[in-house]
Amino acid sequence: MKLPAIGLATGAAAFALDQLLKWLVTGPMQLNSLGVPPVDLLPIFRVRFVANDGVSLGLLRAGTDEARWALVALTGIIAVGVLVWMWREPKRGDQAALGLVLGGALGNILDRVRLGYVVDFADLHFGDWSPFLVFNLGDAAITVGVLILLARALFIRDKAPVRAPGVYGAEHGSVENENA
């Protein structure tokens, strides 16, 4: 099997950028203290700290240490599955998408191991309406990676090799033209 360099590089970049942004939010911006107001960056985007002890949509809340470590184990198993899939995947586009999923997952796993929760900070809103929960770059990488995989599976088809009429491949033992 060939090293999935594009997938590994994409995953490493997603992981590093996720951790850098979380550090900026909790370090220099000091948004991880109670009572610190959010920072509006755009009319539709603000940065605010949320300590997320669950997974997407508030599911699988990990309120105890046992639940936390079970969630780490579950997401770790999924990450290993994604890595194996990426290693076996021949298409570079799918490798890159899987790298996004892997990098985002590893960033969130590291938070949960180090802190006991995942640092979420991105708040996309339109006035008082927030179509998403507060998220982080790792969550966004996972989502984009899955959407790319779905789009590629649904809309990009591999073309079958075109063969000349009457020409058989090696699977028939020889290459010959039936018109000859």
Side-chain angles (χ1 to χ4, degrees), residues 17-18 20-26 29 31-32 37-52 57 108 111 118-126 129-141 143:
L17 189 55
D18 174 65
L20 174 66
L21 291 175
K22 290 173 180 174
W23 172 78
L24 286 171
V25 167
T26 59
M29 292 179 75
L31 291 179
N32 60 339
V39 176
D40 289 321
L41 295 180
L42 297 170
I44 62 167
F45 185 78
R46 74 175 57 106
V47 177
R48 67 185 182 109
F49 174 79
V50 173
N52 180 2
L57 305 174
N108 287 342
D111 282 5
V118 174
V119 175
D120 287 339
F121 58 85
D123 184 7
L124 180 65
H125 62 90
F126 304 96
W129 180 57
S130 293
F132 307 104
L133 296 173
V134 178
F135 60 97
N136 61 49
L137 187 103
D139 299 333
T143 301

Side-chain angles (χ1 to χ4, degrees), residues 4 15 19 23 33 42 56 61 71 80 92-93 106 108 113 127-128 139 144 153 169 171 173 176 179:
F15 174 81
Q19 291 298 300
W23 172 78
S33 301
L42 297 170
S56 295
R61 304 222 43 113
L71 198 51
V80 168
R92 293 172 50 96
L106 291 177
N108 287 342
V113 168
D128 291 334
D139 299 333
V144 169
E171 67 272 7
E176 56 187 60
N179 295 331

Side-chain angles (χ1 to χ4, degrees), residues 46-86:
R46 74 175 57 106
V47 177
R48 67 185 182 109
F49 174 79
V50 173
N52 180 2
D53 67 352
V55 294
S56 295
L57 305 174
L59 301 173
L60 296 175
R61 304 222 43 113
T64 66
D65 272 350
E66 293 81 16
R68 167 187 166 201
W69 290 108
L71 198 51
V72 167
L74 175 65
T75 53
I77 290 167
I78 293 169
V80 168
V82 169
L83 181 62
V84 168
W85 180 5
M86 181 180 20

